[in-house]
Amino acid sequence: MKKSIFYIAAIVASSQLFVSCKKQLDVNPRERILETGYYKTPAEALTSLISVYDVLGNQSSGYLTKVNILSAGSDDHFAGGDSPSDIGDLQTINNYTLTSTSGAASHLWGKGFTGVYRANVFLQKVNGAGLDDATKTRYIAEVKALRAIYYFDLVRLFKNIPLLTDVVEPNAMFDVLQVPADQVYALIVKDLSDAIPNLPATVPAASQGGRLTQGAVHAVLGKVYMWQQKWTEAAAEFALVNGPTPGASTYGYKLLPNFADLWNVKNKFNSESILEIVYNTTSDMGWGTVGSREGNVMSILVGPRNYVPVNSALAPDYISGWSFLPFTKDFFDQIHYDPRNKATVANLDSLEKANIVTYKHANANTGYFIEKYAGRTSTKAASGQLELNFGQDMYEIRLADTYLLEAEALLKSGAGVGAGTKAYIMFNAVRARVGLNPLPVTMDNIMRERRVELAAEGHRWFDLVRWGLAPTVLAGKGFKAGRNEIFPIPERELANSKILQSKEWGGTK
């Protein structure tokens, strides 16, 4: 589904709880669409549905996204940028000096609760929109699943959060209480389970690509069970997504034969895509509207700064970028001789040494940049502020991810993992796709495979926390056990409210 640029004034609350990722419209107040007069037609219901989806790909006016925040905090990347103060909110997660006033925490909190609030408004109002029963049932399923996705991020990132299933009125917004994480997970599982039978098995990519399907929601539910360490339940969900053997998914999912094709901008909604965040080149985002339109800011963020081709015949057609999120030398050593290296890493170090290009050695430079999202002259927008309007989609979940998770869930559930077992076949299908020989299914092998296969896609930080390895692996960055596994609740959410800071961050909750 093409992400909307229509926003309803009513679904951005005045409360600080929900304002953090508000998208502004400079409009005449007489032309403002009010919530009291909305949700009256099927067209308005569709626009509202799109607004709930829109939060999936939210980007802040400070260039923050879920993926770049969590990447900066992982062992695979440095924050980078032009200097140690460039986009300071990424620097503070890179070196774990973030506090409750950090923009990174505020962005993630605001993104999640904006999604929850929009979902709750939709669910409250949809009955009056004149939809036929089948359409309404599907829309409700999509919105419940989206609400679950937003809550899943919130509970993983903050743990101690409010659980809102209805619209909070202004006179009650400061009385909201947090609930135990188990209650949040119970709603997540219920919302996802309720949604699945009312979603289509597949959707036509050309007209509905990006909308939720049964397979996507089974995949999300499998991930939820992984975080709850319900290994058998997780394996069962991933089995429904993956099928009995590679390429035999009920939902038509298949690994792409060529790993690099996953990041061809013309290859949206391919057979490996399960849940995809959609961007485009036509929304004309400019410097005054950063974060409020539909171009992917990652493409300019991760490109090498002051990039200049010296030998134009051999130089890649990268756009000069801002040098954020360079890969660490440790990560490059892991992937250097792996077949996925070239499609993952833009190796400016080698290009410069060969006198093919020059670029600025900016903050924390290693010479190894993200190839997957790199902006190119061949993929830039035809109009608007070219740096901000790349149409590179990003995967929230793709099939290689669920193959590896099924293998892990089976291993941890005590199922057989030897040659010929489901775990062995799924794990090694990911390796076979890139021409690598089979390996035994062990946690060490799974962890390395996830790191290399899913690099720069926003999974590494979550994986390290989920595995209990973050305090050891990220110690050199300043990660502290019993603290940095979650983010601090933003300070402005605590003011004049009953929300309490987590104990990990000096609070009482």
Side-chain angles (χ1 to χ4, degrees):
M1 171 181 263
K2 187 176 180 180
K3 298 203 313 165
S4 172
I5 59 171
F6 300 103
Y7 297 96
I8 304 165
I11 58 180
V12 180
S14 58
S15 167
Q16 290 289 351
L17 183 63
F18 306 112
V19 76
S20 304
C21 62
K22 177 173 68 174
K23 298 190 177 184
Q24 305 269 351
L25 285 179
D26 184 12
V27 297
N28 185 324
R30 294 183 180 182
E31 297 173 356
R32 194 181 300 273
I33 300 172
L34 299 179
E35 180 261 339
T36 53
Y38 212 74
Y39 300 92
K40 302 298 185 185
T41 69
E44 290 173 348
L46 176 60
T47 299
S48 178
L49 171 66
I50 293 170
S51 79
V52 185
Y53 269 101
D54 190 73
V55 181
L56 278 176
N58 180 266
Q59 304 171 128
S60 81
S61 58
Y63 303 97
L64 297 176
T65 69
K66 182 177 78 171
V67 170
N68 66 32
I69 291 169
L70 298 184
S71 294
S74 81
D75 57 327
D76 286 352
H77 302 272
F78 297 117
D82 195 33
S83 71
S85 61
D86 197 1
I87 306 189
D89 291 322
L90 291 182
Q91 308 297 337
T92 61
I93 180 63
N94 174 77
N95 54 29
Y96 287 93
T97 58
L98 79 165
T99 67
S100 60
T101 61
S102 162
S106 293
H107 171 72
L108 293 169
W109 179 279
K111 167 185 161 67
F113 277 110
T114 297
V116 168
Y117 186 71
R118 292 183 181 187
N120 286 341
V121 170
F122 179 94
L123 294 171
Q124 182 188 77
K125 300 289 185 178
V126 66
N127 285 330
L131 295 170
D132 63 79
D133 287 345
T135 301
K136 183 172 72 172
T137 298
R138 179 183 176 185
Y139 283 12
I140 289 172
E142 289 177 274
V143 169
K144 283 189 173 182
L146 287 167
R147 181 172 67 179
I149 289 168
Y150 298 136
Y151 265 129
F152 185 38
D153 274 349
L154 285 166
V155 75
R156 288 188 291 174
L157 291 166
F158 295 98
K159 187 175 76 172
N160 298 307
I161 61 172
L163 182 62
L164 309 175
T165 56
D166 295 304
V167 177
V168 179
E169 298 300 328
N171 62 355
M173 64 178 63
F174 297 114
D175 294 324
V176 169
L177 299 175
Q178 294 142 295
V179 302
D182 287 350
Q183 291 185 29
V184 181
Y185 276 109
L187 177 73
I188 292 169
V189 171
K190 184 178 188 306
D191 272 352
L192 295 172
S193 300
D194 288 350
I196 288 169
N198 296 317
L199 291 169
T202 61
V203 295
S207 59
Q208 297 186 39
R211 292 182 72 170
L212 287 168
T213 61
Q214 292 179 9
V217 178
H218 278 301
V220 175
L221 184 53
K223 290 197 169 201
V224 172
Y225 286 139
M226 292 295 284
W227 273 82
Q228 295 181 294
Q229 298 186 7
K230 295 180 178 180
W231 312 121
T232 301
E233 293 90 335
E237 293 298 323
F238 294 129
L240 293 170
V241 177
N242 299 336
T245 59
S249 169
T250 300
Y251 303 113
Y253 301 129
K254 295 180 181 180
L255 295 177
L256 293 185
N258 181 10
F259 178 78
D261 286 346
L262 284 160
W263 292 277
N264 183 331
V265 295
K266 298 179 180 179
N267 206 14
K268 296 174 185 275
F269 317 124
N270 57 69
S271 65
E272 191 166 337
S273 175
I274 295 176
L275 181 55
E276 187 165 332
I277 298 175
V278 187
Y279 297 95
N280 65 56
T281 62
T282 59
S283 69
D284 291 330
M285 186 155 67
W287 300 118
T289 55
V290 172
S292 65
R293 302 291 168 84
E294 314 308 317
N296 189 345
V297 300
M298 284 287 282
S299 294
I300 191 66
L301 283 170
V302 304
R305 188 174 289 267
N306 296 353
Y307 176 77
V308 178
V310 175
N311 184 333
S312 57
L314 297 177
D317 66 332
Y318 299 134
I319 294 287
S320 183
W322 300 344
S323 288
F324 282 95
L325 302 179
F327 285 114
T328 61
K329 179 64 163 54
D330 178 68
F331 172 78
F332 182 72
D333 289 343
Q334 290 290 313
I335 201 172
H336 190 184
Y337 299 107
D338 188 284
R340 290 162 286 202
N341 177 17
K342 187 174 180 181
T344 303
V345 180
N347 193 334
L348 273 294
D349 179 66
S350 293
L351 291 171
E352 184 180 58
K353 287 176 179 176
N355 200 34
I356 295 172
V357 307
T358 63
Y359 72 102
K360 181 177 181 179
H361 289 205
N363 179 46
N365 177 66
T366 60
Y368 311 121
F369 295 87
I370 300 175
E371 174 70 23
K372 289 178 176 180
Y373 312 133
R376 295 175 174 270
T377 58
S378 57
T379 60
K380 67 183 181 182
S383 62
Q385 194 68 46
L386 305 185
E387 297 93 333
L388 300 177
N389 288 286
F390 286 95
Q392 178 72 60
D393 284 5
M394 300 178 75
Y395 301 105
E396 183 77 6
I397 308 175
R398 60 182 175 89
L399 193 60
D401 181 15
T402 59
Y403 277 14
L404 295 173
L405 286 172
E406 184 178 3
E408 180 183 346
L410 289 167
L411 173 66
K412 289 184 173 179
S413 71
V417 296
T421 64
K422 183 75 180 299
Y424 184 91
I425 291 168
M426 289 302 177
F427 172 74
N428 283 298
V430 176
R431 293 176 56 79
R433 187 254 296 275
V434 294
L436 291 172
N437 291 328
L439 286 176
V441 178
T442 66
M443 274 309 301
D444 283 346
N445 286 341
I446 288 171
M447 289 188 291
R448 184 194 177 278
E449 202 65 29
R450 285 187 64 79
R451 185 181 188 187
V452 173
E453 172 73 24
L454 302 170
E457 296 180 47
H459 300 287
R460 179 66 174 174
W461 188 88
F462 278 132
D463 278 347
L464 290 174
V465 171
R466 181 170 62 84
W467 293 327
L469 295 177
T472 301
V473 174
L474 300 176
K477 280 194 159 193
F479 189 105
K480 293 180 176 59
R483 178 182 177 89
N484 293 122
E485 289 87 353
I486 60 173
F487 281 66
I489 295 171
E491 192 68 30
R492 64 184 180 183
E493 313 301 338
L494 306 174
N496 300 313
S497 78
K498 294 183 179 180
I499 294 177
L500 302 174
Q501 185 60 269
S502 300
K503 289 180 179 178
E504 292 88 341
W505 288 92
T508 58
K509 190 66 177 178

